[in-house]
Amino acid sequence: MMLPTTLLRLELDKPRLAPRRVKRCCEGVSLWLAMLLLLFVHPLYAEAASAAEGTGMLEFVDADGRHQGQATLLNTEYQVRVSGLIADTRLTQSFRNTSQQWREGVFVFPLPEKASVYGMTMRVGEREIVGDVREKQEAKRRYEAAKKAGKNAARVDQQRPNLFTTHLANIPPGETITVELNYQQTVRYQSGEFELRLPTTLTPRYMPGEPLAQSPQQWQGGWARPTTAVPDADAISPFTVQAEDVGDQSHRAVVNLEIDAGLPVADVASPSHALRSTWDGHRVRVAPEQGAVPMDQDVVVRWSPVRGQAPSAAVFHERWQGEDYLLALLVPGLSRNQNLPRELVFVIDTSGSMAGQSIGQARASLLRGLATLSPGDRFNIIQFNSQTHALFMQAVPANGQNLARARRYVEGLSANGGTEMAPALRVALGENSPEEETTGQHVRQVVFITDGAVGNEAALFEQIRQQLGGRRLFTVGIGSAPNLHFMREAARYGRGSYTAISDIADVAGQLDDLFAKMQAPVLTDIAIELPPAAGPAEAYPIRPGDLFAGEPLVQVMRGVKSSGSLGISGRLSDGSRWQTSLDLSRAASGTGLHRHWGREKIDSLMDQTLSGHVGDESRQQVVELALAHQLITRFTSFVAVDSTPVRETSEPLTTDQVPTLLPAGSSSTMLRYPQTATLSPLLTALGLLGLIFSAAGWMLQRRVSR
């Protein structure tokens, strides 16, 4: 009887034998893979260790893992002279080739959001090669031809109004070549305080949209690939690394300012860096205390005039190539006594780029805004990352219960995911409460809190312009390197105002000023009346935006002499008219006003192209203005070429995509590394090894348990 039973059991066990054989086979394969992976890990560990024991400089490797040598070192110097409302800056970028190969350096960098780049000089040893403005395609052809011929050449392109790229060809081994840029910007004046901001790095931007079908399969230089929403994503996505990756001999900035505001200066301060200031009469010389500073955050300098000396009006005049240019500033003395009930919609960015100190600043900003609400106000909170979520279905009364719920909601916010702004704007600008539709007594305002780290700015500006309706949009820039081009232009299209928070300790003062403006009456329907004898003149901006308490009206004009008076009028929130006049005979001598006018006219022309293709007529006008005033634009670039070849064409030329530093206070999740000889391959291999051993252990445990 035993034999049949045994045979029966064997027959019954046959279906179970095949899975056991498969498991044993998997175990054997996993062990062999583990042994092979150990052999693979050892050279990776040796490579990572040798890199860690080096000088700390970033090293590139090619697709086959071969070292290309140390990356090009970069340092910058800012020499800034402030005269009245214009800041003129000489920015020197020094590219040092520490390798034994010829190099091309490519560096994507930020400039102030309204910078007018008007000069470029390349310095090679004792030689100076002055660049000139050409149409972009022509500049690129000249540069590529010089690079191929072994000549020193430099080219600077504009990617965005506040984002540029320097290309520097044929840097000799062991040598340094510098590119000197000259640009000017207007100094911001708000509520009795002047501010100048010098950006040194940028926050990696989110690139919405689907990958382009025709996008190149090979790496082109940036960490991002072109998308349907951002077709130039690869040109605006420089690698972002930590300061220790480049060593202490690279990515340092020397900053020196000379302030001649035209009136006595009482105080100079900075929320970003400790400063050393020296007074010489009305002039003040300013520099960071520590000397060269890491290029990981904006350098922000603010100064206040002596009490009682704040300007209520300022006029500057320049005559250039037979034309008169005039810049006028007026600070209307508007009353803050009349506060109307408001409907405030707070929009807060909780995407991954806000991780670290930025989300803390954003929460503090929103809580500060909630504290300004009055019982007659209504409000809502919208957060967005990859998705958009509103706290309430619609705006609710600002009573104790709703505010307490809102504070708890804000304190629980964290940062992760993508930066999908368009849906959040659609919800915020499309939201109407029943009371608003029936009474219309609430001032409708949107406060947008973000770092602006997006690549599709133009599409968002067009969306704001189309969907704004009767609302006003105010932007709050967060982080140590916000995209202030987005902040400024979004507020301009939103007929609001903007501010930037550089430090958590800076939240209270900056936001109290912004929210005080939002509570104050607004001057709308602003009209400018030129002197009768002015003749044909062009003034920009064509349509001045709304003004809030403490904000100046700035107009730059061509064809207006420094005589007669300039009439300005507007409508207050209670419907009454406000008007004044400005005596142009008091104009002081100004420099660079023609470039400022040229930039404003170019911006006005580009405003017409947000929603579609740039027409040939507009493009030609922009090119003509850029060539006349020697300005970099979307369609023009600076190029400088030395006449003498320095590299034999038979010698190879390697391109270095010089990285930017991770903005101070940002999460390490925002790092965008190139292929480097770091520990990352080792860590990846160890992770795979761990998974294989875990799988093998799990199989063995299952086998023993049976």
Side-chain angles (χ1 to χ4, degrees), residues 514-532:
L514 175 67
F515 290 124
K517 292 175 188 175
M518 294 172 62
Q519 291 174 306
V522 179
L523 187 67
T524 60
D525 299 332
I526 297 171
I528 309 294
E529 183 179 352
L530 298 176

Side-chain angles (χ1 to χ4, degrees), residues 397-476:
N399 56 37
Q401 180 179 353
N402 289 333
L403 287 173
R405 180 179 173 185
R407 292 189 186 97
R408 290 194 299 271
Y409 179 76
V410 172
E411 289 168 355
L413 293 176
S414 59
N416 57 73
T419 312
E420 292 289 347
M421 282 191 184
L425 281 169
R426 189 159 45 248
V427 173
L429 298 178
E431 179 173 305
N432 293 303
S433 67
E435 181 178 326
E436 167 62 28
E437 294 293 344
T438 56
T439 68
Q441 294 302 307
H442 282 71
V443 178
R444 303 164 63 205
Q445 298 174 330
V446 176
V447 180
F448 206 90
I449 304 171
T450 177
D451 58 9
V454 289
N456 61 328
E457 295 100 324
L460 296 171
F461 298 152
E462 178 64 18
Q463 180 182 353
I464 292 169
R465 186 164 65 178
Q466 290 185 358
Q467 299 179 356
L468 184 68
R471 291 193 181 274
R472 297 293 183 268
L473 176 68
F474 300 80
T475 55
V476 178

Side-chain angles (χ1 to χ4, degrees), residues 469-518:
R471 291 193 181 274
R472 297 293 183 268
L473 176 68
F474 300 80
T475 55
V476 178
I478 296 296
S480 56
N483 179 3
L484 283 189
H485 167 60
F486 174 82
M487 304 301 163
R488 183 188 191 118
E489 295 301 288
R492 181 168 71 88
Y493 286 110
R495 297 161 66 189
S497 184
Y498 78 101
T499 191
I501 309 299
S502 301
D503 184 72
I504 193 72
D506 196 39
V507 169
Q510 293 295 104
L511 288 180
D512 286 351
D513 184 59
L514 175 67
F515 290 124
K517 292 175 188 175
M518 294 172 62

Side-chain angles (χ1 to χ4, degrees), residues 259 265-270 275 277 279 284-286 301-304:
I259 301 171
V265 174
D267 180 59
V268 179
S270 171
L275 298 178
S277 304
W279 271 257
V284 186
R285 290 182 174 83
V286 182
V301 181
R302 297 173 182 154
W303 60 95
S304 304

